[in-house]
Amino acid sequence: MVMHMEPGKRLTVAVAGASGYAGGEVLRVLLNHPHVEIGALTGASNAGTRLGELQPHLLPLADRVLQPTTTDVLAGHDVVFLALPHGASAAVAAELGDDVLVVDLGADHRLLDPAAWERFYGSEHAGTWPYGLPELPLAGGGRLRDRLAGTRRIAVPGCYPTSVSLALAPGFAAGLLEPTDVVVVAASGTSGAGKALKPHLLGSEVMGSMSPYGVGGGHRHTPEIEQNLALAGGTGVSVSFTPTLAPMSRGILATCTARLAAGVSAADVRGAWARAYADEPFVHLLPEGQWPSTAQVHGGNSCVLQLAVDEHAGRVVVVSAIDNLVKGTAGGAVQSVNAALGLPEDTGLSAVGVAP
Amino acid sequence: MVMHMEPGKRLTVAVAGASGYAGGEVLRVLLNHPHVEIGALTGASNAGTRLGELQPHLLPLADRVLQPTTTDVLAGHDVVFLALPHGASAAVAAELGDDVLVVDLGADHRLLDPAAWERFYGSEHAGTWPYGLPELPLAGGGRLRDRLAGTRRIAVPGCYPTSVSLALAPGFAAGLLEPTDVVVVAASGTSGAGKALKPHLLGSEVMGSMSPYGVGGGHRHTPEIEQNLALAGGTGVSVSFTPTLAPMSRGILATCTARLAAGVSAADVRGAWARAYADEPFVHLLPEGQWPSTAQVHGGNSCVLQLAVDEHAGRVVVVSAIDNLVKGTAGGAVQSVNAALGLPEDTGLSAVGVAP
Amino acid sequence: MVMHMEPGKRLTVAVAGASGYAGGEVLRVLLNHPHVEIGALTGASNAGTRLGELQPHLLPLADRVLQPTTTDVLAGHDVVFLALPHGASAAVAAELGDDVLVVDLGADHRLLDPAAWERFYGSEHAGTWPYGLPELPLAGGGRLRDRLAGTRRIAVPGCYPTSVSLALAPGFAAGLLEPTDVVVVAASGTSGAGKALKPHLLGSEVMGSMSPYGVGGGHRHTPEIEQNLALAGGTGVSVSFTPTLAPMSRGILATCTARLAAGVSAADVRGAWARAYADEPFVHLLPEGQWPSTAQVHGGNSCVLQLAVDEHAGRVVVVSAIDNLVKGTAGGAVQSVNAALGLPEDTGLSAVGVAP
Amino acid sequence: MVMHMEPGKRLTVAVAGASGYAGGEVLRVLLNHPHVEIGALTGASNAGTRLGELQPHLLPLADRVLQPTTTDVLAGHDVVFLALPHGASAAVAAELGDDVLVVDLGADHRLLDPAAWERFYGSEHAGTWPYGLPELPLAGGGRLRDRLAGTRRIAVPGCYPTSVSLALAPGFAAGLLEPTDVVVVAASGTSGAGKALKPHLLGSEVMGSMSPYGVGGGHRHTPEIEQNLALAGGTGVSVSFTPTLAPMSRGILATCTARLAAGVSAADVRGAWARAYADEPFVHLLPEGQWPSTAQVHGGNSCVLQLAVDEHAGRVVVVSAIDNLVKGTAGGAVQSVNAALGLPEDTGLSAVGVAP
């Protein structure tokens, strides 16, 4: 049975982990959603605190007080967003039951391959949930959104995998790219690292500075990217992925390069990408000559793309820009919730960025 | 006759000067307004250019092409926003006639006193229009919004005057402040200086740097601030106003201090400000102990305030934060348009900031 | 007996608290000092760690290992810099004895008035040391540097007091300013708050944001500023001081305003400031029309000033820019050490900023 | 005849193009050089202007006035730095004659291959000068510094080629890397784009934003990088190079990846890089586990490196950080001048960064 919104009904929504950046952004997006009533907000060490102290930008919710993250508190809502530490969501979801739409903003249920999970996360795999990247083209035709209709469980993609998979998938889907020697270097704003108090995330350290991390294949988003590209048609794909930390609060700029298969022309390339996203409200291939910036997607649910063929190097370079907290987290999550509930996917979501 | 929106009607809106920061922000705000249909967009040297090249964040309008700023192009819209250089708006408004609601984002029609205009702007005064700061309390009771109902002309306040006037007006309205020795130091993001190509506005110059400008009473917003405070009750007020340029794109943080009148207590002060804005959706006095930041109002139409009494110095210090492009320009303008048209003032406007 | 450097001798220097921003900056400055040999470096929780992990920019010292902060480790050096928490320096200095030049980068020995200390710091006063602001003019003639020659104890000024006192002292020394209604609003880079792991200091929070703190007279630098201005001639001075946090790593921009005494002209004002610093290598009054920026002093030991008389408001506005870690901390400290040892004050110090 | 510095002699140095970022940084570096006397400073449209208005951070030179860029003005100096537009330096150098050491900070004389020059720069090649990257290992043994001794002409490398060539050269010199499918993505601070007044370089546009440019092989530094890697041993190397603009004033972070030749181990890799730079004062391979940041090289003449082998992808990833204006421009230039004159290469140069 596909669960659909009834006309005029308002969904009650709870957010577990409302004090962090992901949880806060879910609330910011939901405040603009016409069919949502915001219910319980929970935190761990912050239970008992006014939201106004933790998320002062959410002025309409300033007087809400965080409750502890228990199933009693979360039960009775139509949708529950989980912004919890790794490993915590499966147990919560089990207790909430199948009539609740549970949306995991964490990584627990993203990977199909338990071995990959265990290699990168070092714990037992909690099982796979439908993956919330609606626009991803699938090798056999269709899109990932087809698997979201009616689901009661959604695994929200990682922010890097969102930006990289949308950038490269059309090429694999169209058979234009070699699966080896894919190289991705991405720059992320610091909110991608969360609100954890770590010395290298202090403002004094990050302003005016760029630095890499998770270099050499160790970043946990690598298997997730490869899984997505394989779904799109990139059999046996291997990706060299290097993330870097950039001096900005939000945004991911992903520079994604792959070798072109023999005989592929620049026109083939542009055509494939243009067709892939022609009807997508949130993925935009820019006119030739215009390149994306993270500023243009700041606060919006868009993924903006541009590409160029480098004939000398035999490669295509695709650059994508997203807001890591919106299209890369909260906006993508709400988009998938809309898909699951049979609502227009763009309900309550805006493609417009806040710039300059 | 008060012009009111008829139910179900959509307003057609034109924006003159759509390539700049103010014009772009008007469009960003209007894209979320339920009763607005965006019509002609005009530019000067940019006429003929796709908006997508100039305002790439406004993705839904990317394929719109700017037209020249002529009365022919602007005529026939219900509302026309003018984001034009000083001195240009009066002539345009005269040609548009009285059935069009003309909203001047520039300074031309803000000042009541022609002498002050001529001293600070060096040209002949173009006349005064109703001033679009709805929340400003008036000395004799009431608010400035009372003068906006039904108007066909709106002078949108300057960004600094918005932040400073809302910060200090309750104290003058309640008779708690001395009119002399008012001192204001405000920090603004660089978008306040517009898109003009000036060396000191280059990213290389502004990042990591703070600097003052217009020091010593010369900034054109000084008489506008004093005019507003006088309207609120500050007879004979004189303000030392120093603006500074801060390394951020948006936001104004205004630190406003004034001497307390004899016998005024901290409780008097807090009470006056609390009462002044208790029913205002876009002006927020924070709970004691919490201070505003520009981040919390980034992209939102809010003005957030906090204050403290310094008994040693005999002063109150009020700090306000706004987004200079939203509450300080485009959001405030749309709020006043709503007031003029008899719509709820918050139609299409959000008090929520985009943070972190 | 005045301690003087003997020709050719190298001073051995220890730094206690070498893992923080103040300690690290002392090392950066000392690496350029021709008469200094860097000896023991100590830390608290970081003892045992390579300096390269904590201060990666100090490449020549990368392999140094921090030792615990004990008198055994610190003894035997000619100069010991203490970058320790409040309350710790007096005991260390007592054990080091009078033949060691002890330089306290903390606040413990700055204030003359034990009652002011106790009111603002809440603990017993540890006694007053000679105050390391060599250029400060004194009411009776002379400068503070006169009190530094031969001293074995130096209290390094706070960063805000350095910027504000140098800005306003010439006016009080020359009798041009009223002592009441002095208002100062200053913006500081985040390094002024140290390396402490606090949520509001995360890069995600500070980038793109300005916010105030310590408003209403509560900031501990207030009595220090008033003490300095009183020394310069401002009997009974009271200051309204509001610090703000700016989105940059370094730098203080202090906007300092005071009422002019009756009959004071703009020429009087400019003359007084020009004369006060005509021979100072590190305090610069800019040519008329040019205003300071924190960028121009980034990494250098300069304090750059400009002023304007606001006749309408009856005030002078003086704006000063320093690098809080150099002229405001480590550079000022080394300058005072030079003064104490009879070296040219600018030995090993540069007035040049790193810009853009 | 090798020109050597005589003991005690001071070099007179002129800088043509002293108003730009490169020229200003040459002056900043030279102010710390013990054997240099700064002579004529020239500009084009800025001739007649005080340097203090153009480069306010160079306080000791504030009262210098720019002269026009003519051979009369430049003649008679021992060393002349040219920070001129493309195409201007050859004529100036010809007139200055062979007894003057001419240092071209522009691109005119970097490339060996006239065809590559014409393809990327669209004009006739002006001839090749000795290339100022002293540390670059050469395929047949030795370093590029061997070609600098005694030269009277130096072509200063581009900033990206400096960071990328130092990162990858050891692998090609040791035969560990495949020459094809080299992929480099680099992020640069905005000063790399110079002081030109372009809309996308405004602070409002760059703060909070990352964006690519010159994508697809078109950036002019691509042939220069390939030339350097070929010199080091990378016969037939082809590089996919994507530069991006980062929200910071200074710094380049270059992420450089190449396929490992068959049978190469991680230990081979680390050993090759460690040996390559063991004796270099300005190129640092960090201890394993520590990654470079641009903050740590801000203002210093260092290139800091780290690498990791990604066995899954069959690649090495080398990340290098430089200050584009120091090691990437002015510092590298002075280092090469030192080499040309027989001075210790580090004379007047510091490996220390200004952080945080």
Side-chain angles (χ1 to χ4, degrees), chain A residues 21 190-191 194-199 201-207 246-249, chain C residues 21 190-191 194-199 201-207 246-249:
Chain A
Y21 290 146
T190 53
S191 62
K195 254 189 196 170
L197 294 175
K198 297 176 184 169
L201 297 178
L202 285 175
S204 300
E205 303 293 321
V206 299
M207 287 187 285
M248 55 192 191
S249 291
Chain C
Y21 290 146
T190 53
S191 62
K195 254 188 195 172
L197 294 175
K198 297 176 183 167
L201 297 177
L202 285 174
S204 301
E205 302 294 321
V206 298
M207 287 186 284
M248 56 191 191
S249 291

Side-chain angles (χ1 to χ4, degrees), chain D residues 340-353:
Chain D
L341 298 177
L343 291 168
E345 254 178 48
D346 63 352
T347 307
L349 293 168
S350 170
V352 177

Side-chain angles (χ1 to χ4, degrees), chain B residues 21 190-191 201 203-205 207 249, chain D residues 21 190-191 201 203-205 249:
Chain B
Y21 290 146
T190 53
S191 63
L201 296 178
S204 300
E205 303 294 321
M207 288 187 283
S249 291
Chain D
Y21 291 146
T190 53
S191 62
L201 297 178
S204 301
E205 302 294 321
S249 290

Side-chain angles (χ1 to χ4, degrees), chain A residues 112 130-131 138-139 141 143-151 153 231:
Chain A
L112 297 162
Y131 189 79
L138 298 173
R143 307 262 177 176
L144 265 186
R145 65 167 50 90
D146 308 335
R147 303 181 186 176
L148 292 170
T151 184
R153 295 290 181 270
L231 283 173

